[in-house]
mmCIF file of all heavy atoms in Angstrom:
data_model
loop_
_atom_site.group_PDB
_atom_site.id
_atom_site.type_symbol
_atom_site.label_atom_id
_atom_site.label_comp_id
_atom_site.label_asym_id
_atom_site.label_seq_id
_atom_site.Cartn_x
_atom_site.Cartn_y
_atom_site.Cartn_z
ATOM 1 N N GLU A 389 104.365 64.619 30.226
ATOM 2 C CA GLU A 389 103.710 65.893 30.325
ATOM 3 C C GLU A 389 103.880 66.861 29.130
ATOM 4 O O GLU A 389 104.943 66.724 28.443
ATOM 5 C CB GLU A 389 104.173 66.674 31.630
ATOM 6 C CG GLU A 389 104.017 65.901 32.943
ATOM 7 C CD GLU A 389 105.367 65.331 33.387
ATOM 8 O OE1 GLU A 389 106.261 65.052 32.497
ATOM 9 O OE2 GLU A 389 105.496 65.198 34.579
ATOM 10 N N SER A 390 102.942 67.736 28.990
ATOM 11 C CA SER A 390 103.106 68.740 27.916
ATOM 12 C C SER A 390 102.187 69.910 28.290
ATOM 13 O O SER A 390 101.380 69.843 29.211
ATOM 14 C CB SER A 390 102.664 68.237 26.553
ATOM 15 O OG SER A 390 101.265 67.765 26.660
ATOM 16 N N GLY A 391 102.462 71.073 27.714
ATOM 17 C CA GLY A 391 101.738 72.202 27.897
ATOM 18 C C GLY A 391 102.304 73.329 28.821
ATOM 19 O O GLY A 391 101.681 74.327 28.835
ATOM 20 N N GLY A 392 103.450 73.095 29.234
ATOM 21 C CA GLY A 392 104.038 74.180 30.136
ATOM 22 C C GLY A 392 104.536 75.290 29.091
ATOM 23 O O GLY A 392 104.433 75.240 27.881
ATOM 24 N N GLY A 393 104.954 76.395 29.797
ATOM 25 C CA GLY A 393 105.507 77.495 29.013
ATOM 26 C C GLY A 393 105.530 78.774 29.837
ATOM 27 O O GLY A 393 105.408 78.797 31.102
ATOM 28 N N LEU A 394 105.659 79.851 29.052
ATOM 29 C CA LEU A 394 105.728 81.232 29.682
ATOM 30 C C LEU A 394 104.347 81.922 29.561
ATOM 31 O O LEU A 394 103.797 81.973 28.495
ATOM 32 C CB LEU A 394 106.768 82.104 29.079
ATOM 33 C CG LEU A 394 106.885 83.576 29.447
ATOM 34 C CD1 LEU A 394 107.229 83.751 30.922
ATOM 35 C CD2 LEU A 394 107.850 84.292 28.513
ATOM 36 N N VAL A 395 103.820 82.480 30.670
ATOM 37 C CA VAL A 395 102.510 83.140 30.633
ATOM 38 C C VAL A 395 102.601 84.334 31.538
ATOM 39 O O VAL A 395 103.376 84.412 32.478
ATOM 40 C CB VAL A 395 101.489 82.220 31.026
ATOM 41 C CG1 VAL A 395 101.557 81.767 32.492
ATOM 42 C CG2 VAL A 395 100.048 82.824 30.886
ATOM 43 N N GLN A 396 101.854 85.357 31.174
ATOM 44 C CA GLN A 396 101.803 86.571 31.996
ATOM 45 C C GLN A 396 100.991 86.376 33.245
ATOM 46 O O GLN A 396 100.052 85.592 33.234
ATOM 47 C CB GLN A 396 101.251 87.825 31.184
ATOM 48 C CG GLN A 396 102.202 88.175 30.093
ATOM 49 C CD GLN A 396 101.711 89.442 29.409
ATOM 50 O OE1 GLN A 396 100.559 89.836 29.546
ATOM 51 N NE2 GLN A 396 102.596 90.147 28.732
ATOM 52 N N PRO A 397 101.145 87.096 34.307
ATOM 53 C CA PRO A 397 100.294 87.052 35.508
ATOM 54 C C PRO A 397 98.837 87.239 35.120
ATOM 55 O O PRO A 397 98.539 88.202 34.217
ATOM 56 C CB PRO A 397 100.815 88.101 36.376
ATOM 57 C CG PRO A 397 102.329 88.273 36.012
ATOM 58 C CD PRO A 397 102.365 88.017 34.520
ATOM 59 N N GLY A 398 98.024 86.372 35.583
ATOM 60 C CA GLY A 398 96.619 86.507 35.235
ATOM 61 C C GLY A 398 96.224 85.588 34.143
ATOM 62 O O GLY A 398 95.056 85.485 33.870
ATOM 63 N N GLY A 399 97.221 85.057 33.466
ATOM 64 C CA GLY A 399 96.863 84.262 32.270
ATOM 65 C C GLY A 399 96.557 82.778 32.606
ATOM 66 O O GLY A 399 96.490 82.459 33.812
ATOM 67 N N SER A 400 96.420 81.946 31.652
ATOM 68 C CA SER A 400 95.990 80.666 31.739
ATOM 69 C C SER A 400 96.946 79.707 31.030
ATOM 70 O O SER A 400 97.469 80.068 29.960
ATOM 71 C CB SER A 400 94.594 80.394 31.287
ATOM 72 O OG SER A 400 93.627 81.234 31.972
ATOM 73 N N LEU A 401 97.020 78.524 31.488
ATOM 74 C CA LEU A 401 97.729 77.387 30.804
ATOM 75 C C LEU A 401 96.961 76.113 31.149
ATOM 76 O O LEU A 401 96.391 75.988 32.164
ATOM 77 C CB LEU A 401 99.142 77.265 31.268
ATOM 78 C CG LEU A 401 100.221 78.147 30.645
ATOM 79 C CD1 LEU A 401 101.542 77.813 31.370
ATOM 80 C CD2 LEU A 401 100.307 77.961 29.161
ATOM 81 N N THR A 402 97.115 75.213 30.185
ATOM 82 C CA THR A 402 96.563 73.866 30.451
ATOM 83 C C THR A 402 97.714 72.846 30.289
ATOM 84 O O THR A 402 98.318 72.765 29.230
ATOM 85 C CB THR A 402 95.426 73.432 29.500
ATOM 86 O OG1 THR A 402 94.308 74.433 29.676
ATOM 87 C CG2 THR A 402 94.951 72.063 29.867
ATOM 88 N N LEU A 403 97.952 72.011 31.302
ATOM 89 C CA LEU A 403 98.883 70.967 31.237
ATOM 90 C C LEU A 403 98.202 69.643 30.918
ATOM 91 O O LEU A 403 97.109 69.408 31.447
ATOM 92 C CB LEU A 403 99.602 70.760 32.554
ATOM 93 C CG LEU A 403 100.400 72.023 33.100
ATOM 94 C CD1 LEU A 403 101.147 71.677 34.420
ATOM 95 C CD2 LEU A 403 101.215 72.657 32.031
ATOM 96 N N SER A 404 98.917 68.755 30.187
ATOM 97 C CA SER A 404 98.370 67.498 29.860
ATOM 98 C C SER A 404 99.361 66.424 30.246
ATOM 99 O O SER A 404 100.610 66.687 30.237
ATOM 100 C CB SER A 404 98.034 67.309 28.373
ATOM 101 O OG SER A 404 97.081 68.338 27.953
ATOM 102 N N CYS A 405 98.959 65.258 30.501
ATOM 103 C CA CYS A 405 99.877 64.173 30.965
ATOM 104 C C CYS A 405 99.250 62.860 30.387
ATOM 105 O O CYS A 405 98.107 62.507 30.587
ATOM 106 C CB CYS A 405 99.976 63.987 32.418
ATOM 107 S SG CYS A 405 100.905 62.600 33.000
ATOM 108 N N ALA A 406 100.102 62.247 29.534
ATOM 109 C CA ALA A 406 99.612 60.993 28.933
ATOM 110 C C ALA A 406 100.352 59.850 29.678
ATOM 111 O O ALA A 406 101.565 59.862 29.820
ATOM 112 C CB ALA A 406 100.074 60.941 27.467
ATOM 113 N N ALA A 407 99.544 58.806 30.133
ATOM 114 C CA ALA A 407 100.053 57.668 30.812
ATOM 115 C C ALA A 407 99.990 56.480 29.890
ATOM 116 O O ALA A 407 99.001 56.276 29.129
ATOM 117 C CB ALA A 407 99.160 57.427 32.089
ATOM 118 N N SER A 408 100.956 55.699 29.934
ATOM 119 C CA SER A 408 101.039 54.460 29.125
ATOM 120 C C SER A 408 101.746 53.270 29.894
ATOM 121 O O SER A 408 102.435 53.562 30.908
ATOM 122 C CB SER A 408 101.801 54.639 27.793
ATOM 123 O OG SER A 408 103.039 55.006 28.004
ATOM 124 N N GLY A 409 101.581 52.063 29.483
ATOM 125 C CA GLY A 409 102.178 50.940 30.164
ATOM 126 C C GLY A 409 101.243 50.174 31.016
ATOM 127 O O GLY A 409 100.054 50.034 30.674
ATOM 128 N N SER A 410 101.667 49.644 32.089
ATOM 129 C CA SER A 410 100.975 48.713 32.944
ATOM 130 C C SER A 410 100.145 49.442 33.949
ATOM 131 O O SER A 410 100.428 49.625 35.095
ATOM 132 C CB SER A 410 101.802 47.726 33.687
ATOM 133 O OG SER A 410 102.642 46.979 32.694
ATOM 134 N N ILE A 411 99.026 49.989 33.420
ATOM 135 C CA ILE A 411 98.107 50.819 34.224
ATOM 136 C C ILE A 411 96.994 50.054 34.894
ATOM 137 O O ILE A 411 96.231 49.485 34.095
ATOM 138 C CB ILE A 411 97.629 52.025 33.505
ATOM 139 C CG1 ILE A 411 98.676 52.894 32.795
ATOM 140 C CG2 ILE A 411 96.640 52.957 34.266
ATOM 141 C CD1 ILE A 411 98.272 53.874 31.802
ATOM 142 N N ASP A 412 96.865 50.065 36.185
ATOM 143 C CA ASP A 412 95.728 49.482 36.784
ATOM 144 C C ASP A 412 94.385 50.308 36.639
ATOM 145 O O ASP A 412 94.550 51.521 36.497
ATOM 146 C CB ASP A 412 95.912 49.277 38.202
ATOM 147 C CG ASP A 412 96.893 48.162 38.586
ATOM 148 O OD1 ASP A 412 97.163 47.353 37.660
ATOM 149 O OD2 ASP A 412 97.413 48.107 39.725
ATOM 150 N N THR A 413 93.245 49.645 36.669
ATOM 151 C CA THR A 413 92.095 50.349 36.514
ATOM 152 C C THR A 413 91.960 51.439 37.591
ATOM 153 O O THR A 413 91.516 52.598 37.303
ATOM 154 C CB THR A 413 90.861 49.464 36.511
ATOM 155 O OG1 THR A 413 90.955 48.481 35.441
ATOM 156 C CG2 THR A 413 89.498 50.197 36.416
ATOM 157 N N PHE A 414 92.147 51.049 38.819
ATOM 158 C CA PHE A 414 91.993 51.961 39.898
ATOM 159 C C PHE A 414 93.182 52.630 40.285
ATOM 160 O O PHE A 414 94.126 52.014 40.901
ATOM 161 C CB PHE A 414 91.250 51.224 41.019
ATOM 162 C CG PHE A 414 89.971 50.682 40.798
ATOM 163 C CD1 PHE A 414 89.895 49.291 40.518
ATOM 164 C CD2 PHE A 414 88.905 51.465 40.516
ATOM 165 C CE1 PHE A 414 88.626 48.730 40.101
ATOM 166 C CE2 PHE A 414 87.606 50.940 40.216
ATOM 167 C CZ PHE A 414 87.531 49.559 39.981
ATOM 168 N N ASN A 415 93.297 53.906 39.956
ATOM 169 C CA ASN A 415 94.614 54.607 40.334
ATOM 170 C C ASN A 415 94.208 56.039 40.646
ATOM 171 O O ASN A 415 93.127 56.484 40.401
ATOM 172 C CB ASN A 415 95.662 54.498 39.206
ATOM 173 C CG ASN A 415 95.035 55.109 37.930
ATOM 174 O OD1 ASN A 415 94.807 56.306 37.753
ATOM 175 N ND2 ASN A 415 94.828 54.219 36.954
ATOM 176 N N THR A 416 95.160 56.790 41.205
ATOM 177 C CA THR A 416 94.934 58.165 41.476
ATOM 178 C C THR A 416 96.090 58.862 40.658
ATOM 179 O O THR A 416 97.237 58.538 40.686
ATOM 180 C CB THR A 416 95.201 58.548 42.966
ATOM 181 O OG1 THR A 416 94.053 57.924 43.685
ATOM 182 C CG2 THR A 416 95.149 60.037 43.149
ATOM 183 N N MET A 417 95.640 59.910 39.942
ATOM 184 C CA MET A 417 96.668 60.663 39.133
ATOM 185 C C MET A 417 96.599 62.104 39.764
ATOM 186 O O MET A 417 95.646 62.537 40.300
ATOM 187 C CB MET A 417 96.224 60.709 37.637
ATOM 188 C CG MET A 417 96.286 59.388 37.008
ATOM 189 S SD MET A 417 95.994 59.429 35.227
ATOM 190 C CE MET A 417 97.674 59.990 34.706
ATOM 191 N N GLY A 418 97.753 62.725 39.560
ATOM 192 C CA GLY A 418 97.860 64.132 40.078
ATOM 193 C C GLY A 418 98.996 64.918 39.555
ATOM 194 O O GLY A 418 99.712 64.445 38.610
ATOM 195 N N TRP A 419 98.991 66.064 39.997
ATOM 196 C CA TRP A 419 100.038 67.094 39.649
ATOM 197 C C TRP A 419 100.769 67.557 40.943
ATOM 198 O O TRP A 419 100.031 67.916 41.921
ATOM 199 C CB TRP A 419 99.436 68.220 38.885
ATOM 200 C CG TRP A 419 98.918 67.839 37.543
ATOM 201 C CD1 TRP A 419 97.698 67.536 37.232
ATOM 202 C CD2 TRP A 419 99.702 67.817 36.278
ATOM 203 N NE1 TRP A 419 97.595 67.271 35.860
ATOM 204 C CE2 TRP A 419 98.750 67.371 35.295
ATOM 205 C CE3 TRP A 419 100.952 68.036 35.947
ATOM 206 C CZ2 TRP A 419 99.149 67.228 33.957
ATOM 207 C CZ3 TRP A 419 101.382 67.919 34.675
ATOM 208 C CH2 TRP A 419 100.554 67.477 33.727
ATOM 209 N N TYR A 420 102.010 67.661 40.893
ATOM 210 C CA TYR A 420 102.931 68.238 41.847
ATOM 211 C C TYR A 420 103.754 69.326 41.252
ATOM 212 O O TYR A 420 103.942 69.290 40.015
ATOM 213 C CB TYR A 420 103.675 67.097 42.610
ATOM 214 C CG TYR A 420 102.910 66.088 43.447
ATOM 215 C CD1 TYR A 420 102.099 65.185 42.715
ATOM 216 C CD2 TYR A 420 102.859 66.092 44.735
ATOM 217 C CE1 TYR A 420 101.284 64.265 43.486
ATOM 218 C CE2 TYR A 420 102.078 65.213 45.505
ATOM 219 C CZ TYR A 420 101.337 64.282 44.767
ATOM 220 O OH TYR A 420 100.615 63.402 45.585
ATOM 221 N N ARG A 421 104.267 70.104 41.976
ATOM 222 C CA ARG A 421 105.213 71.149 41.492
ATOM 223 C C ARG A 421 106.418 71.358 42.470
ATOM 224 O O ARG A 421 106.287 71.034 43.624
ATOM 225 C CB ARG A 421 104.454 72.459 41.258
ATOM 226 C CG ARG A 421 103.958 73.179 42.401
ATOM 227 C CD ARG A 421 103.122 74.348 42.118
ATOM 228 N NE ARG A 421 102.741 75.117 43.167
ATOM 229 C CZ ARG A 421 101.836 76.108 43.181
ATOM 230 N NH1 ARG A 421 101.341 76.479 42.009
ATOM 231 N NH2 ARG A 421 101.398 76.726 44.241
ATOM 232 N N GLN A 422 107.491 71.828 41.867
ATOM 233 C CA GLN A 422 108.660 72.089 42.604
ATOM 234 C C GLN A 422 109.239 73.397 42.128
ATOM 235 O O GLN A 422 109.692 73.480 40.957
ATOM 236 C CB GLN A 422 109.663 71.004 42.573
ATOM 237 C CG GLN A 422 110.863 71.230 43.446
ATOM 238 C CD GLN A 422 111.763 69.963 43.522
ATOM 239 O OE1 GLN A 422 111.654 69.070 42.755
ATOM 240 N NE2 GLN A 422 112.600 69.868 44.594
ATOM 241 N N ALA A 423 109.249 74.432 43.073
ATOM 242 C CA ALA A 423 109.790 75.731 42.670
ATOM 243 C C ALA A 423 111.289 75.763 43.049
ATOM 244 O O ALA A 423 111.739 74.910 43.847
ATOM 245 C CB ALA A 423 109.124 76.769 43.474
ATOM 246 N N PRO A 424 112.063 76.639 42.479
ATOM 247 C CA PRO A 424 113.482 76.660 42.793
ATOM 248 C C PRO A 424 113.694 76.820 44.253
ATOM 249 O O PRO A 424 113.179 77.680 44.923
ATOM 250 C CB PRO A 424 113.954 77.872 42.015
ATOM 251 C CG PRO A 424 113.059 78.063 40.939
ATOM 252 C CD PRO A 424 111.724 77.619 41.437
ATOM 253 N N GLY A 425 114.602 75.914 44.852
ATOM 254 C CA GLY A 425 114.960 76.061 46.305
ATOM 255 C C GLY A 425 113.903 75.451 47.177
ATOM 256 O O GLY A 425 114.068 75.636 48.477
ATOM 257 N N LYS A 426 112.820 74.926 46.670
ATOM 258 C CA LYS A 426 111.744 74.420 47.507
ATOM 259 C C LYS A 426 111.491 72.907 47.302
ATOM 260 O O LYS A 426 111.895 72.360 46.328
ATOM 261 C CB LYS A 426 110.462 75.227 47.195
ATOM 262 C CG LYS A 426 110.543 76.669 47.660
ATOM 263 C CD LYS A 426 109.172 77.382 47.589
ATOM 264 C CE LYS A 426 109.195 78.843 48.063
ATOM 265 N NZ LYS A 426 107.961 79.469 47.952
ATOM 266 N N GLN A 427 110.804 72.319 48.209
ATOM 267 C CA GLN A 427 110.490 70.939 48.062
ATOM 268 C C GLN A 427 109.259 70.710 47.101
ATOM 269 O O GLN A 427 108.439 71.686 46.953
ATOM 270 C CB GLN A 427 110.099 70.280 49.445
ATOM 271 C CG GLN A 427 111.365 70.226 50.339
ATOM 272 C CD GLN A 427 110.971 69.469 51.690
ATOM 273 O OE1 GLN A 427 109.795 69.416 52.124
ATOM 274 N NE2 GLN A 427 111.993 68.834 52.211
ATOM 275 N N ARG A 428 109.169 69.498 46.534
ATOM 276 C CA ARG A 428 108.097 69.293 45.674
ATOM 277 C C ARG A 428 106.782 69.280 46.554
ATOM 278 O O ARG A 428 106.794 68.730 47.678
ATOM 279 C CB ARG A 428 108.242 67.853 45.104
ATOM 280 C CG ARG A 428 107.265 67.567 44.002
ATOM 281 C CD ARG A 428 107.579 66.354 43.302
ATOM 282 N NE ARG A 428 108.875 66.317 42.583
ATOM 283 C CZ ARG A 428 109.350 65.384 41.763
ATOM 284 N NH1 ARG A 428 108.580 64.328 41.544
ATOM 285 N NH2 ARG A 428 110.532 65.458 41.275
ATOM 286 N N GLU A 429 105.701 69.799 46.061
ATOM 287 C CA GLU A 429 104.463 69.877 46.823
ATOM 288 C C GLU A 429 103.243 69.466 45.889
ATOM 289 O O GLU A 429 103.307 69.592 44.660
ATOM 290 C CB GLU A 429 104.232 71.402 47.288
ATOM 291 C CG GLU A 429 104.111 72.368 46.186
ATOM 292 C CD GLU A 429 103.714 73.804 46.693
ATOM 293 O OE1 GLU A 429 103.808 73.969 47.883
ATOM 294 O OE2 GLU A 429 103.491 74.695 45.833
ATOM 295 N N LEU A 430 102.229 69.096 46.609
ATOM 296 C CA LEU A 430 101.010 68.678 46.021
ATOM 297 C C LEU A 430 100.363 69.925 45.364
ATOM 298 O O LEU A 430 100.254 70.973 45.984
ATOM 299 C CB LEU A 430 100.031 68.094 46.982
ATOM 300 C CG LEU A 430 98.652 67.839 46.491
ATOM 301 C CD1 LEU A 430 98.475 66.786 45.576
ATOM 302 C CD2 LEU A 430 97.699 67.642 47.761
ATOM 303 N N VAL A 431 99.851 69.741 44.124
ATOM 304 C CA VAL A 431 98.961 70.729 43.559
ATOM 305 C C VAL A 431 97.589 70.179 43.485
ATOM 306 O O VAL A 431 96.616 70.898 44.059
ATOM 307 C CB VAL A 431 99.457 71.056 42.118
ATOM 308 C CG1 VAL A 431 98.454 72.054 41.388
ATOM 309 C CG2 VAL A 431 100.869 71.510 42.114
ATOM 310 N N ALA A 432 97.381 69.042 42.911
ATOM 311 C CA ALA A 432 95.924 68.481 42.958
ATOM 312 C C ALA A 432 96.046 67.065 42.517
ATOM 313 O O ALA A 432 97.037 66.576 41.844
ATOM 314 C CB ALA A 432 95.153 69.199 41.780
ATOM 315 N N THR A 433 95.066 66.201 43.056
ATOM 316 C CA THR A 433 94.945 64.902 42.715
ATOM 317 C C THR A 433 93.489 64.529 42.320
ATOM 318 O O THR A 433 92.568 65.213 42.658
ATOM 319 C CB THR A 433 95.376 63.861 43.764
ATOM 320 O OG1 THR A 433 94.513 64.105 44.886
ATOM 321 C CG2 THR A 433 96.826 64.134 44.126
ATOM 322 N N ILE A 434 93.335 63.458 41.555
ATOM 323 C CA ILE A 434 92.055 62.961 41.073
ATOM 324 C C ILE A 434 92.113 61.463 41.095
ATOM 325 O O ILE A 434 92.957 60.913 40.485
ATOM 326 C CB ILE A 434 91.656 63.623 39.709
ATOM 327 C CG1 ILE A 434 90.238 63.244 39.362
ATOM 328 C CG2 ILE A 434 92.613 63.243 38.626
ATOM 329 C CD1 ILE A 434 89.615 64.031 38.198
ATOM 330 N N THR A 435 91.037 60.908 41.702
ATOM 331 C CA THR A 435 90.933 59.419 41.672
ATOM 332 C C THR A 435 90.328 58.916 40.348
ATOM 333 O O THR A 435 89.804 59.704 39.555
ATOM 334 C CB THR A 435 89.986 58.927 42.829
ATOM 335 O OG1 THR A 435 88.707 59.321 42.554
ATOM 336 C CG2 THR A 435 90.574 59.487 44.203
ATOM 337 N N TYR A 436 90.312 57.594 40.143
ATOM 338 C CA TYR A 436 89.737 57.064 38.967
ATOM 339 C C TYR A 436 88.258 57.483 38.909
ATOM 340 O O TYR A 436 87.726 57.679 37.766
ATOM 341 C CB TYR A 436 89.843 55.568 38.915
ATOM 342 C CG TYR A 436 89.473 54.869 37.690
ATOM 343 C CD1 TYR A 436 90.176 54.795 36.608
ATOM 344 C CD2 TYR A 436 88.076 54.352 37.595
ATOM 345 C CE1 TYR A 436 89.729 54.149 35.367
ATOM 346 C CE2 TYR A 436 87.575 53.705 36.471
ATOM 347 C CZ TYR A 436 88.433 53.668 35.412
ATOM 348 O OH TYR A 436 88.054 53.054 34.252
#
């Protein structure tokens, strides 16, 4: 992953993720997040 950082409320950021290795054609990629003291949660997913 790349693209994280500090931003003011109301601002924008774009995260990127590069995959490599043994990748099947049909897969689902997504983003999850984990805030301090909380469980990891789904943000968004996208199918092939």
Side-chain angles (χ1 to χ4, degrees):
E389 303 102 333
S390 60
L394 172 64
V395 64
Q396 292 186 342
S400 298
L401 277 177
T402 300
L403 305 183
S404 300
C405 174
S408 61
S410 301
I411 301 170
D412 285 347
T413 299
F414 299 104
N415 57 68
T416 295
M417 299 188 75
W419 292 93
Y420 292 72
R421 66 186 181 186
Q422 188 166 17
K426 295 187 177 181
Q427 291 187 333
R428 191 174 298 189
E429 63 178 6
L430 168 74
V431 177
T433 61
I434 183 167
T435 66
Y436 184 85

